[in-house]
């Protein structure tokens, strides 16, 4: 385990005293460390944009993960289709390159058929980084209208008896009809967007009802969460926690914890509901306490071999974004400090810099460990959230234009 910052400073003080040299002030050391971190983040963003710009002209579908370091594609985007145009938008914001802007728009257009998809809860993942961002950055109302249509599709998944949005399966398919997953917290901002744009309260009402239910059933006393919670779809009665991507129903899947942290913070910003903020902080505090010494999350914080287990860098990037958001709304510098640690660790140890054949930016991501599917590969959402996190630090005004960091 590396020495703590306090130990490092104490050693510096002792060394300086023994040499008869005045010890540097802790504030100066802190500023030097932050300046070094910012340089590393800027270099990481530059590398990411260079990689994206070199790969993007050959991309004709939606990256879903890598195999032997090359992107594997989905024609309809699966659940991750919004992240490739979103990543192009992030690269455009960092560089101002109009070619990246054009590629982002072209990629987003390919998602048009998914506006009417009622078989998935992932319409926020699909349309927020792509169409909502396109509208915010171009002002073209067709993007806004398409995102609202996607929100109309999403609210059809609402179960009023249990007050939740079902995660998986077609509306007429009884399988998984009562299944809720923590990931859905990230799809609620599409409903908040639609409500704000239309003035119709139904969208945000459903988002708030789902978040309130999720808060009640997912949050454990220690701030950890399961991946899944099941309900009886006919009555809305709770059945209990479960998992698909975590180690067990009692473990804590790292990426799910990140989705919850980010999602509850966003819902606080959109509603001002203090309970959502309290929940976000509890999720954040658990994740921070569970980090391994290298600041790259293991795939499940309670897997038996943690902290020496398979990594998921995507969980680190998402957590960093959520912590930066949380720092902004709470004014607590600690959350920002940990976010910078996470982003710096990812930039130092998880980028594909040493592999000229790699098509992604971030390595060491794990898609679904229990299914042995995508173990320490690259994933499109890791690239997206790494760039979002870095731009939150380096270009906060630009990122605000793209994803709206305002609060009510």
């Amino acid at each position: 385990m590396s020495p703590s910052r306090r130990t490092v400073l104490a050693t510096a003080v002792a060394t300086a005293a023994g040499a008869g040299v005045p010890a540097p002030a802790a504030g100066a050391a802190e500023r030097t460390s932050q300046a070094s971190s910012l340089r590393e983040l800027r270099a990481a963003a530059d590398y990411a944009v260079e990689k994206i710009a070199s790969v993007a002209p050959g991309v004709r579908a939606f990256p879903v993960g890598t195999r032997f370091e090359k992107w594997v594609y989905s024609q309809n985007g699966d659940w991750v289709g919004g992240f490739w145009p979103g990543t192009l938008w992030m690269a455009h914001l960092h560089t101002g390159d109009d070619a990246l802007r054009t590629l982002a728009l072209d990629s987003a257009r390919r998602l048009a058929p998914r506006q009417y998809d009622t078989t998935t809860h992932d319409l926020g993942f699909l349309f927020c980084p792509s169409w909502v961002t396109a509208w915010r950055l171009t002002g073209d109302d067709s993007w806004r209208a398409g995102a609202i249509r996607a929100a109309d599709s999403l609210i059809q998944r609402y179960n009023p008896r249990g007050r939740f949005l079902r995660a998986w399966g077609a509306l007429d398919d009884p399988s998984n009809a009562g299944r809720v997953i923590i990931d859905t917290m990230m799809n609620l901002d599409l409903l908040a967007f639609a409500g704000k744009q239309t003035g119709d309260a139904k969208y945000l009402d459903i988002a708030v009802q789902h978040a309130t239910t999720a808060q009640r059933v997912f949050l454990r006393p220690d701030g950890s969460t399961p991946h899944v919670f099941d309900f009886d779809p006919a009555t809305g009665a709770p059945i209990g926690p479960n998992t698909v991507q975590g180690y067990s129903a009692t473990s804590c899947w790292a990426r799910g914890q990140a989705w919850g942290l980010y999602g509850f913070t966003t819902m606080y910003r959109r509603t001002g509901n203090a309970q959502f903020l309290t929940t976000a902080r509890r999720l954040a505090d658990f994740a921070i306490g569970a980090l391994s010494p290298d600041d790259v999350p293991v795939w499940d914080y309670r897997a038996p071999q943690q902290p020496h287990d398979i990594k998921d860098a995507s969980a680190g990037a998402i957590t960093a974004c959520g912590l930066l958001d949380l720092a902004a709304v709470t004014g607590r510098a600690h959350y920002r400090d940990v976010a910078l640690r996470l982003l710096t660790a990812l930039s130092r140890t998880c980028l594909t810099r040493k592999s000229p054949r790699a098509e992604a930016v971030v390595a060491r991501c794990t898609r679904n460990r229990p299914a042995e599917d995508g173990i320490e590969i690259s994933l499109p959402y890791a690239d997206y959230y790494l760039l979002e996190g870095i731009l939150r630090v380096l270009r906060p005004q630009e990122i605000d234009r793209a994803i709206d960091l305002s609060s009510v």
Side-chain angles (χ1 to χ4, degrees):
M1 180 180 296
S2 60
S4 68
R5 177 174 171 272
R6 180 177 295 175
T7 301
V8 171
L9 289 174
T11 301
V13 170
T15 302
V21 178
E30 186 77 20
R31 288 192 296 272
T32 300
S33 175
Q34 289 185 0
S36 175
S37 180
L38 292 177
R39 284 194 297 271
E40 291 192 66
L41 296 186
R42 189 169 289 109
D46 291 343
Y47 169 74
V49 169
E50 181 181 2
K51 175 68 73 174
I52 292 160
S54 68
V55 171
V59 173
R60 294 291 180 267
F62 299 100
V64 296
T66 55
R67 187 169 184 268
F68 300 120
E69 300 183 280
K70 300 296 185 182
W71 284 125
V72 175
Y73 296 100
S74 164
Q75 291 301 314
N76 78 345
D78 197 70
W79 72 271
V80 300
F83 293 118
W84 179 245
T87 299
L88 292 168
W89 280 124
M90 296 297 106
H92 167 67
L93 289 178
H94 186 56
T95 63
D97 186 344
D98 284 340
L100 292 168
R101 178 184 185 275
T102 298
L103 288 167
L105 292 169
D106 289 344
S107 179
R109 287 189 188 98
R110 297 191 187 101
L111 288 172
R114 302 296 299 277
Q115 300 167 64
Y116 307 100
D117 188 349
T118 61
T119 67
T120 179
H121 71 125
D122 284 317
L123 292 162
F125 282 130
L126 290 168
F127 284 91
C128 285
S130 56
W131 286 50
V132 174
T133 294
W135 175 71
R136 286 176 175 145
L137 295 181
T138 69
D140 183 339
D141 199 56
S142 63
W143 300 111
R144 170 186 173 275
I148 293 169
R149 282 192 291 271
D152 287 331
S153 297
L154 178 56
I155 61 174
Q156 294 184 52
R157 304 184 67 75
Y158 182 64
N159 182 316
R161 293 171 295 280
R163 297 184 177 182
F164 62 81
L165 291 158
R166 67 176 288 184
W168 297 320
L171 297 178
D172 59 355
D173 182 357
S175 301
N176 295 314
R179 178 146 284 193
V180 179
I181 63 176
I182 191 67
D183 318 38
T184 306
M185 289 301 306
M186 292 292 290
N187 292 310
L188 302 183
D189 202 33
L190 179 66
L191 301 184
F193 172 80
K196 183 176 181 179
Q197 294 301 313
T198 64
D200 190 333
K202 69 182 178 184
Y203 299 102
L204 189 58
D205 285 348
I206 288 174
V208 168
Q209 291 297 329
H210 178 93
T212 301
T213 299
Q215 180 176 251
R216 186 180 75 250
V217 302
F218 280 99
L219 183 65
R220 299 182 181 127
D222 65 355
S224 66
T225 57
H227 176 211
V228 172
F229 195 93
D230 289 319
F231 293 85
D232 181 328
T235 66
I239 295 173
N242 209 322
T243 196
V244 173
Q245 291 189 246
Y247 179 80
S248 73
T250 59
S251 71
C252 184
W253 177 47
R255 191 162 70 246
Q257 189 79 3
W259 294 139
L261 158 60
Y262 194 140
F264 275 108
T265 306
T266 300
M267 281 300 293
Y268 167 72
R269 289 197 293 106
R270 301 307 185 213
T271 66
N273 185 323
Q275 290 186 342
F276 295 155
L277 180 60
T278 298
T279 298
R281 291 193 59 190
R282 291 179 63 187
L283 268 62
D285 293 343
F286 177 87
I288 291 169
L291 284 174
S292 51
D294 64 358
D295 290 323
V296 180
V298 295
W299 71 280
D300 190 303
Y301 290 128
R302 285 184 171 154
Q305 297 185 57
Q306 65 83 27
H308 309 293
D309 208 332
I310 298 295
K311 295 291 186 176
D312 183 9
S314 74
I318 300 158
T319 299
C321 291
L323 289 173
L324 289 168
D325 217 1
L326 198 54
V329 297
T330 62
R332 292 181 177 266
H334 173 60
Y335 292 132
R336 181 179 174 85
D337 292 343
V338 177
L340 290 174
R341 272 172 38 202
L342 285 164
L343 293 172
T344 302
L346 297 177
S347 299
R348 286 176 181 168
T349 67
C350 297
L351 301 192
T352 57
R353 284 190 175 108
K354 294 184 179 180
S355 177
R357 64 173 278 117
E359 293 184 338
V361 175
V362 182
R364 305 182 73 193
C365 305
T366 297
R367 181 162 47 206
N368 188 335
R369 179 73 172 89
E372 294 295 322
D373 173 25
I375 309 302
E376 292 212 21
I377 61 170
S378 295
L379 294 167
Y381 36 95
D383 287 9
Y384 173 80
Y385 287 108
L386 177 75
L387 267 178
E388 181 191 303
I390 291 175
L391 294 186
R392 280 173 176 265
V393 176
L394 300 181
R395 301 177 183 275
Q397 293 180 330
E398 290 298 299
I399 203 71
D400 180 43
R401 288 176 53 222
I403 64 176
D404 183 13
L405 297 176
S406 65
S407 299
V408 296

